[in-house]
Each structure stands twice: as structure tokens, then as C-alpha cells.
Amino acid sequence: MRPDLAQQIEAGCAVVTPNRRLAANLKHEYDARQIAAGKSAWPTADILPFSALVERVYGDALHSGRAAGLPVPLAPAQELALWENIIRESETGNSLLAIPEAAALAREAWRLAHAWGLVPRLGKYPLNDDAKAFQQWARRYEAVTRRERHTDGARLADVAGARVTGPEIRKPGSLVHYGFDLVMPQQAAFFQALSAAGCEVTGAGPEPRGGGRLRVACADSTEEIRRAAAWARARLEANGAARIGIVVPELARQRKAIQRILSAVMEPGYALPGNRHPAFPFNISLGEALTTYPLVNAAFLALELAGREIDFERASRLIRSPFLAGADAELTRRARLDAGLRKRAEPVVTLDRLLALITSEDAACPVLAQRLVALAEFRKARLFGGQPPSAWARAISEALALIGFPGERGLDSAEFQTLARWHEIVAGFAGLDRVLPRTGYTDAVSRLRRMAADALFQPETPDVPIQVLGEIEATGMAFDHLWVMGLSDDAWPRGPRPNPFLPVELLRAAGVPQGSAAGMLGQARRLTGEWLSCAGEVVLSHPRREDDREFKPSPLIFAVPEQPLPLPGYASYRGAVHDLRKLERSEDAKAPPLGAATVERGGTAVIRDHAACPFRALARHRLGAEGLAAPHAGLDAMERGTLVHRVLALAWAQLKTRSALEAITGAGLDGLLRQAAEDAVARIRRERPTVLSGRFAEIEKRRLVRLARAWLDVEKRRGGFTVLATEDKRRIEIGGLTLNARLDRVDQAEDGRRVVIDYKTGKASPGAMIGARPDEPQLPLYLVSTEPDAVAAAFAQVRAGDMKFAGLARDADVLPDVRTLPDGKLKQAEPSWARQIDAWRADLARIAAGFAGGNAEVDPKRYPDTCLYCDVKPFCRIYERLENALEEDAE
Ligand code: SF4
């Protein structure tokens, strides 16, 4: 801190800064100076941002005996709500789709107009349609606030300035405005009023510093951030007390990348489990929307679920949120519950539907269920009709309390601060009674969400040496080392960004920087000059390219010499671990063998999966791994297939023989199939009540009847037969493995020959059931293990427009369309039926023995096709293995 400024403060001078950050920084420097001087106590320095000074003056006026008639300031959320109302009710605004966005722009225009003294001149410039609409809204806004005796942030400096001479106002004897890039007319008028009231007002800024200045070109902006991060770490390691600044003109756009890269460079293991909030040595000035914080997000998920309906994915996040009652105690069960719900839920759910699903799931989560029931009851009792915001704020807090928000585990400091900010937002929402009429629950929650999204927030951190700042925030600050990035010819100076509600000519005439290219150039020149003089070491950098665009350095930094900047290479966490590696190879493709008495669940899928890839079978059937299902609307292919199976099973359970099929009348068959379709649909609706409702159920039943009729016409092409079994439970014993399975159908021809049949609603091919690793081993499996005398194994391909039997048979006449052996087109088939049976017996026994013996090799039958839709991919890490194999081959 400048010694002269410190002396002035000690003498009682107030210091006013353009923003809070600079005020806090100066205060910190002043206190450090007092400590260095050996003092143990000293009067608090009167250092505050301009807005706080204005509020203090107005607060004195409001709390004095002369407060009668003073307008009451509106909070920012109240201002926005009022603008929204006015725009919505206006002729020009009621057709707008994005009223909240228009209100935010109008409020900003109103603020700019007052800060730059534009209001009296507004009518003197030609107005486009936007500016005309704004004038109309502004007149209405002014009239409403005058009538209600309100003022706002834009006018507070004018209102306070007019009262600054009053005896009730605390005025410092002298005041320094420090670090202002520009003193706007409204600020100048306020300082003038203070001066007229006897306060000596002067201006100051940091003392210019000299030292090394250099320009650095980086490959792209990611490389630029990486280099700045490494540079900051190197400077900090050289001097732990150094003050380091990183200025990022596009901070809002780059915030996430900066946070990620700085974190990785400063604290390489920051993302490891258990390292929830590492103490980083940097602070990013720009906060994030409050809605992005998990705690606040959880609150909104619960509030939205209590409304109409939400996407299942959002409900799923709520179920797994740590910010609900019982979250820790039911952690694993809630994860299981979520996995189960995904199989039956629709893509969009209501609270009642979610509760019904939860109640019918096996994974018991009593606390969650109980809290959601309480929320559902509360919704019926309290969350309806129109209510004022304060009543909604109370109801919202009660609803959140009912689900146990914010959970039972202790909040850490960052979460605690987030919760406090959330409470402030809800309290601010309650304060909207002054400007908002009664509103419905959904509107109330979406307004609250907008307020939280507008609230940029970040938990406070202890004083840290590295400050990451936006371009304007660095004004007035002093550093030992400063890096300014993003200064390419494309980005610096920035282009003008005039507010669309204010005439551009007026902005230009008034000298508002964002109103014109010349204004932005002037501002960029001033800021560049300040950066170059505010630190001992200054590095200015720019990216050379971004996507396919190439950049040069901004002309404003061209005079600074480009120089190499050697930096230490800091290893990433991954790199550090890799460097320490001591590799040991261990082949682990063997799981413990199964016990002799084990009955494997999963039926014939165990054999099919093991044939496709031994590891897949192990993961799915012994370790219980399965991919998370994605909720879907209507029926998926599997459910459609199940319905067809069911209808045909019910139909044959009644018909039993081909002669009965021949004998039944068309109307009789229709009735029978209709009833079977009714039963099948009713069964699936017991599982998923909303999946087939009303007209959709009718359409599906008609489809099923049509399909079944067409299939039964195919069956009529066969000779006489009896259906011996449908959906028959069988116990299969093979290769030391015992499986419970269900056989679709066994028929017996009039001459006693038996065939096993499996329904398929997709394409079926006899080739899929042969070979050492068959894709569809179920029919051969039934055949060799439970129907050894059968003479055919065939898929019944029940597919609209392509109905047929597809299979292998000993005799060509036993079923239409089946193939007999030898068959030149079936390369892997044996030359005769008897040899094929022997091959099946041997192959299937070997596969079963492999599974029972614990073979767990990652060995897909046909890579990559076999792996394409495999849901245990993340588990087997096939891609990493292949990459390693390729690297080894290359070596
Ligand atoms: S992804 Fe491929 S290699 Fe991995 S388990 Fe599945 S089938 Fe086997």
C-alpha cells in the first residue's frame, strides 16, 4: 500500500474503491502494515466500495428523524420482478417470449442511463423500436416506483447525494477515491456533493512499478492457461509471500478450464477420493451461478418434483443426493433402487408415480419413501392455488424440511456457506411481496430458480496469494507478478457491446466505453497501461490459434518484446503415478470354480454369454454387473417380444393341436387371440402401469392379434402336431453346471417326432446355433439336455412380413423352411444330424465347464462386434488392453 495513503487512512480519511475486491485488498494491506509496525490494535480502516458508501449515506438518512418521505430502496430481485411485470403488461412486451431476459436488459439500461446521466437526453436522439419500447417501460417504471415511494440501485447515488449535506449523515473529513478506471458522471456528482458538504475529495491509484515486461505466444488458450498456472506455481514456490495476479479478459467463458487446470497444476491429486475441498492457493474472482452448486441443485430437484413432473434423470439425481434425510444410511440401497427404477420408469415421472415405483421395488429405502410420502401429502395440502411470494417462501422451506434437506451429515465450510446463501435467496424471494402479485407454485419455483441462477456465488476462502481476475477487477490492484492472458488481435481491444435499449449515438456522445469501438479502444489502452505498471513482473500472452483460426498479438501489446519464458514442467497426477510405476505382470483370467451344488440364475443366457466372451458371463452372472437401463417411453423391443411370446403361449395353451387350429372359426380364433392379447397387455401393465394406456393399449392389442393370426397361418402349413409344452420350466444340467431355464415350446408330430421351438421377433438364422461358440445356443441346449429325442430345433420367426421357421432338422418334412444336414451354406455345421448333436453336446459341455470352472478370460468372440452393445465394457477394460497390446506390438 502506498505509504501516503496509509497515513491518510490513519488520519481518518475514507477510501472508496470501484469494487468490493479492491476494498478488501486494500484493507488487508493496511492491516498487514499495522501488524508489521508492531501494533496489536488499531482503528478499523474506513475503506469501502462506492456502492457501500452510497448505501451508508442513505442508511443514515433513512434512520434519522428526517426520514419521512424518503423512498425505500428495492432489492435487485424486486427491481427485476417489477421490470418483468411492466414489460409483460405492456403492449410491446406481452408478445415477447423471453421476458426475464428483456427485464434484465431493461434494468441494465436503466442503470447505465443513470450512471452516465443519459436520462435527460434520451428523447433527443432517434429511437429504434427497442429504444421506444424501453422508453415506454421506463416511464411506467418511474411512475410505479414514485407512487409506491420506492427507489432502486440505479438512482440511489442521486437520492443519497441530494441528502449528503444533512447533519444526520456521517461524512468523513476527507475521502480518496482509489483505483477508478473512469469516474462516471453520477459518481462524480456524488463526490461533488460530498465536497460541497465539507468533505475533501481527492483521487489516487497504485504507485507505478517497473520491472520485467515480456510477451509470450502460446499454441492455444489451453496451453496459455497451463503456462500461466505453471508460472504462478513457480513464482509461489520461489516466494511464498508473493502477490500474484492472473488477469483473464474472458473470465466467464474460461472459468471452468481455468479452475480445472489451475487445480491440477497446484494440487495434482485434487480429484482423488476423500480430497473433497483441498486448500488451493488461488481464488477466482468470478463466482458460479448458485444453481450449479449440488446442495442448491438438490433443493430445486425436490421442489420441482413436488410440482408437476420432472425428467426421470433429475428424479434419479434427487434419489441419490446426499442432501436428503437418510442419504448416508441408505446410500447403497438408494443406488440399487435407482438401478431398479430405471428398468420400469418412464422418461418423465410425477411424485406420485415415483412413489408407486419405489414402493414396488425390492431395494427397501424406508426413510426415502417416508419423506417422499410426506412431501406428497404436503403438496396436496399446501402447494396449490395462488399465494404471495412470502407464503411460497414459507411453504418451500417447509417442503424442504420434510424431505430432510440439507441431509444429516455435517456440512463442510463451503456447503455451509452455500446453504446460508440459499437462505438469503429464499428470504429475498419472500421480499417480492412488495412488487409481485399472487402467483402459482410452478411460477414461484421458476422465479426462485432464476434468482438463484443470477446469484453468482463462491464460498469464501482464506486469503490466498494467487488472484484470478477479470479485466476490470484488476484495476487499482498491485502485484509482485502479473500474467494477463487472451490478448490476441481478435480479442483485445474488445468490440463494442451497446445496450439495445439505448440509442448508440447517445452512448457514443456520452463517452460510455461499451457504446463504441473508440470507447472500447480507449478503455483497452488504459487497462493495458495499468497492467504494465502495476507489478514488478508482467507477462502478456495470447493464443496463436483456436479451432481453425490463427491469431497474432493484439496491436496494444505489440511493443512489449516477445521473449522465451522457461518454466518448470510440473507432472500431472497421472504422470507422477506413472513415473513411480513398478510393473508386475499377473494373468488373472480365472475366477474361483463354482461349487457342485450351485444352480446358476440367468438360464441359457449364461451359456450364450460365456460363448460370446467368458469375462462377460462372469461379470453378468456371477458378479451381478449390468448396465444402467435408460427409462423409455412406450414399449421397447424386448417388451414387444415378450408380448408376442405371451399371446402365442396363451393361444396354444387353449388350441393344443393343429387340428383344433383348423377347426376353429375365424371369429372364434379372433376372440381367442383377442383374449390372449388382453391378458398379455394386462400383465405388462401390472409391471408398468403407464406404459400402455387408452388408445395405445388398443393399438397394441390389434397389432398382437394381427401378428399372431399371420403366424398361425404359417403353422397351418405343417402336418398334424400337438403342442406338448409352452413356456415350460426346465432344469438343465451340462458340463457340471445346473441352470434353470424356460423352453418356449415343444411340439410332437402325429408320427411322434418332437421339435423344440423358440419364438423370435427379430431376424433368426440357423447359423446362429452352430459352431464352437454359438451366438444362440438355447435351442441346442434344450435339445441335448432335456429333449434328446427331438429331431428339429427351430426359431419361429414371428416378424411382420417375414414369418417363417428357421432352424435345423433331421428330416426336411418335419417343419417348413428348416435346413437339413449336410448343408454347404452352413460352414460350421456337421455333415449329419447325429454328428451335429454330438458336436452340440461336446461344445456346450465345454462352454458350461468353462463357466463352472471359473474361466474369466477377456476374449470376445468377434471383436469389436461382440463388444458393441456389451454393458460391462467399463469393467473388462477391453479398449485399454487392446491399446497396450498395440503398443507392445509396436515396440
Ligand atoms: S466388452 Fe467385449 S471384451 Fe468386454 S466383457 Fe464385453 S464382450 Fe467381453
Side-chain angles (χ1 to χ4, degrees):
M1 168 175 277
R2 298 171 62 133
D4 55 340
L5 185 67
Q7 281 162 9
Q8 283 175 284
I9 295 169
E10 275 162 2
C13 173
V15 178
V16 177
T17 62
N19 58 51
R20 275 177 205 286
R21 178 166 291 264
L22 181 55
N25 203 276
L26 283 180
K27 236 180 198 163
H28 179 74
E29 285 182 13
Y30 178 77
D31 291 343
R33 192 182 161 89
Q34 302 303 313
I35 293 166
K39 293 188 188 169
S40 56
W42 57 92
T44 305
D46 192 11
I47 305 174
L48 69 176
F50 180 78
S51 57
L53 175 68
V54 169
E55 281 164 20
R56 186 167 86 184
V57 167
Y58 200 67
D60 284 350
L62 268 184
H63 297 108
S64 71
R66 295 156 35 117
L70 282 184
V72 179
L74 292 170
Q78 293 171 328
E79 291 176 23
L80 263 179
L82 188 53
W83 280 109
E84 273 184 48
N85 282 353
I86 287 168
I87 294 173
R88 190 170 288 114
E89 286 164 7
S90 73
E91 214 177 297
T92 43
N94 62 12
S95 58
L96 285 179
L97 289 177
I99 288 179
E101 287 76 3
L105 266 179
R107 178 171 170 256
E108 176 58 16
W110 181 251
R111 190 195 63 76
L112 266 179
H114 284 85
W116 287 88
L118 311 180
V119 179
R121 295 190 270 166
L122 268 177
K124 296 183 186 149
Y125 287 83
L127 302 178
N128 61 17
D129 287 350
D130 287 345
K132 279 185 199 150
F134 173 69
Q135 275 219 326
Q136 187 199 349
W137 301 334
R139 272 198 292 274
R140 175 90 186 114
Y141 178 86
E142 209 275 328
V144 171
T145 48
R146 187 161 13 91
R147 187 187 68 214
E148 301 293 329
R149 309 205 65 76
H150 289 153
T151 185
D152 52 34
R155 291 175 287 177
L156 201 61
D158 297 335
V159 186
R163 276 158 184 82
V164 85
T165 47
E168 70 280 11
I169 309 294
R170 283 171 294 158
K171 291 177 282 285
S174 60
L175 179 145
V176 175
H177 55 79
Y178 183 92
F180 281 73
D181 166 49
L182 268 181
V183 176
M184 291 179 274
Q186 188 184 41
Q187 292 170 329
F190 186 82
F191 291 139
Q192 231 162 20
L194 272 178
S195 178
C199 171
E200 186 193 336
V201 179
T202 51
E207 273 178 335
R209 303 182 67 179
R213 272 92 186 92
L214 63 106
R215 175 160 56 86
V216 175
C218 304
D220 55 23
S221 61
T222 306
E223 173 65 12
E224 198 179 11
I225 301 171
R226 248 188 227 124
R227 295 203 74 196
W231 166 88
R233 182 171 160 184
R235 298 299 177 268
L236 192 59
E237 283 174 351
N239 173 10
R243 289 162 307 158
I244 301 165
I246 299 177
V247 172
V248 188
E250 294 268 11
L251 185 53
R253 188 173 63 80
Q254 307 232 57
R255 190 186 191 286
K256 276 194 183 348
I258 287 176
Q259 171 87 43
R260 176 170 43 81
I261 295 173
L262 274 177
S263 303
V265 171
M266 299 293 164
E267 191 78 41
Y270 79 100
L272 290 180
N275 205 4
R276 263 172 69 197
H277 293 288
F280 292 116
F282 65 89
N283 173 281
I284 301 178
S285 69
L286 187 69
E288 287 190 280
L290 192 61
T291 41
T292 61
Y293 287 79
L295 182 136
V296 173
N297 188 37
F300 277 113
L301 291 176
L303 295 175
E304 283 161 15
L305 180 63
R308 285 194 201 122
E309 55 184 23
I310 64 172
D311 289 347
F312 176 82
E313 290 304 335
R314 294 173 62 69
S316 154
R317 248 176 273 157
L318 179 66
I319 289 169
R320 291 174 289 121
S321 166
F323 301 111
L324 301 191
D328 276 357
E330 293 181 350
L331 179 75
T332 319
R333 275 176 283 158
R334 287 186 191 179
R336 276 183 178 286
L337 173 71
D338 176 55
L341 292 179
R342 287 170 171 278
K343 294 179 188 157
R344 297 188 299 123
E346 297 74 40
V348 172
V349 289
T350 60
L351 176 54
D352 291 338
R353 172 73 183 133
L354 186 66
L355 265 170
L357 284 166
I358 288 176
T359 321
S360 61
E361 273 293 320
D362 287 344
C365 299
V367 179
L368 178 72
Q370 198 186 32
R371 297 298 183 135
L372 289 179
V373 167
L375 183 64
E377 282 165 6
F378 183 75
R379 179 179 63 168
K380 280 187 208 131
R382 290 286 307 281
L383 305 182
F384 64 87
Q387 300 188 38
S390 57
W392 282 129
R394 268 195 307 281
I396 280 169
S397 299
E398 283 174 47
L400 290 178
L402 280 175
I403 56 155
F405 177 81
E408 288 132 2
R409 73 172 166 79
L411 299 181
D412 61 29
S413 162
E415 288 167 344
F416 193 79
Q417 292 178 55
T418 312
L419 182 65
R421 187 73 185 105
W422 163 253
H423 286 150
E424 282 171 21
I425 293 287
V426 176
F429 177 74
L432 293 184
D433 281 6
R434 283 163 70 185
V435 290
L436 255 196
R438 298 162 87 85
T439 175
Y441 177 71
T442 311
D443 280 353
V445 172
S446 49
R447 184 176 291 276
L448 185 63
R449 175 177 270 287
R450 283 204 302 277
M451 286 173 64
D454 287 344
L456 295 186
F457 166 76
Q458 65 175 322
E460 281 188 13
T461 49
D463 191 40
V464 288
I466 303 171
Q467 302 288 330
V468 183
L469 306 157
E471 68 211 44
I472 305 280
E473 289 164 309
T475 315
M477 304 267 265
F479 302 97
D480 296 311
H481 309 278
L482 179 73
W483 182 303
V484 188
M485 63 173 68
L487 301 178
S488 64
D489 55 346
D490 176 73
W492 194 248
R494 292 199 200 217
R497 284 166 296 159
N499 185 300
F501 291 140
L502 296 173
V504 177
E505 295 79 5
L506 172 58
L507 293 173
R508 200 176 298 142
V512 181
Q514 55 268 52
S516 67
M520 292 304 277
L521 176 61
Q523 185 184 55
R525 277 210 176 103
R526 284 194 306 279
L527 291 176
T528 310
E530 282 178 32
W531 295 331
L532 286 169
S533 64
C534 75
E537 179 197 15
V538 180
V539 182
L540 306 177
S541 70
H542 72 92
R544 274 207 207 94
R545 78 167 27 242
E546 211 61 75
D547 302 325
D548 53 357
R549 292 182 304 153
E550 303 224 332
F551 303 124
K552 293 196 175 70
S554 158
L556 297 183
I557 63 166
F558 214 78
V560 179
E562 183 174 355
Q563 283 172 25
L565 178 63
L567 292 171
Y570 294 111
S572 65
Y573 189 78
R574 183 177 182 274
V577 171
H578 195 255
D579 291 346
L580 289 173
R581 71 193 184 279
K582 286 187 189 133
L583 289 183
E584 273 179 37
R585 267 184 194 279
S586 129
E587 291 293 326
D588 187 11
K590 190 111 177 92
L594 285 175
T598 317
V599 178
E600 267 316 292
R601 285 177 304 155
T604 55
V606 172
I607 302 296
R608 191 185 58 219
D609 286 339
H610 193 89
C613 172
F615 185 83
R616 180 200 284 184
L618 173 99
R620 279 190 182 162
H621 302 288
R622 291 188 64 184
L623 305 182
E626 60 176 334
L628 288 179
H632 54 272
L635 298 170
D636 64 11
M638 198 184 212
E639 287 164 333
R640 284 182 195 281
T642 308
L643 282 171
V644 172
H645 273 61
R646 186 78 197 135
V647 169
L648 289 170
L650 289 168
W652 280 116
Q654 297 221 8
L655 291 167
K656 292 203 166 39
T657 62
R658 179 184 181 280
S659 45
L661 175 63
E662 284 292 344
I664 194 166
T665 61
L669 185 59
D670 272 350
L672 187 149
L673 293 178
R674 175 95 201 150
Q675 186 55 50
E678 288 277 354
D679 288 358
V681 167
R683 191 154 146 178
I684 209 155
R685 282 174 65 175
R686 278 202 290 280
E687 288 277 303
R688 300 181 61 211
T690 58
V691 73
L692 277 177
S693 51
R695 274 175 54 80
F696 290 115
E698 281 312 307
I699 292 169
E700 183 59 24
K701 284 179 213 162
R702 282 207 293 275
R703 183 189 79 90
L704 289 169
V705 171
R706 239 186 355 259
L707 265 184
R709 274 207 80 125
W711 175 252
L712 292 176
D713 286 342
V714 174
E715 301 259 21
K716 282 183 187 168
R717 286 165 43 205
R718 298 169 57 186
F721 64 88
T722 302
V723 176
L724 294 182
T726 56
E727 300 207 323
D728 199 30
K729 286 186 184 163
R730 299 278 170 109
R731 172 167 282 223
I732 293 172
E733 294 190 1
I734 189 162
L737 193 64
T738 308
L739 302 165
N740 282 330
R742 192 187 294 261
L743 174 55
D744 276 358
R745 193 167 138 190
V746 183
D747 287 5
Q748 184 164 17
E750 278 170 348
D751 58 11
R753 290 177 299 172
R754 286 186 173 201
V755 296
V756 289
I757 294 172
D758 199 29
Y759 293 116
K760 275 240 168 247
T761 43
K763 269 253 178 236
S765 150
M769 58 174 105
I770 54 180
R773 296 172 75 176
D775 292 331
E776 301 280 3
Q778 60 272 37
L779 281 170
L781 200 53
Y782 291 127
L783 197 146
V784 299
S785 58
T786 71
E787 289 290 339
D789 298 330
V791 296
F795 296 114
Q797 184 177 296
V798 189
R799 199 173 137 89
D802 191 15
M803 303 263 180
K804 64 179 182 191
F805 282 103
L808 283 177
R810 186 189 69 189
D811 314 317
D813 64 336
V814 72
L815 281 176
D817 304 325
V818 290
R819 316 263 278 264
T820 53
L821 299 171
D823 184 318
K825 287 191 182 153
L826 293 174
K827 297 250 170 336
Q828 299 189 65
E830 298 294 325
S832 70
W833 178 253
R835 296 266 300 271
Q836 186 58 54
I837 299 274
D838 288 345
W840 272 335
R841 198 166 276 125
D843 289 337
L844 295 171
R846 181 181 37 75
I847 294 169
F851 180 81
N855 176 14
E857 263 183 280
V858 176
D859 178 20
K861 179 181 167 187
R862 273 185 306 270
Y863 179 82
D865 294 359
T866 309
C867 301
L868 214 52
Y869 301 108
C870 179
D871 54 359
V872 296
K873 247 183 247 121
F875 203 17
C876 70
R877 299 162 71 184
I878 178 75
Y879 297 127
E880 287 167 52
R881 282 163 185 257
L882 287 173
E883 265 173 35
N884 286 345
L886 289 177
E887 275 170 25
E888 278 167 21
D889 282 353
E891 281 164 18

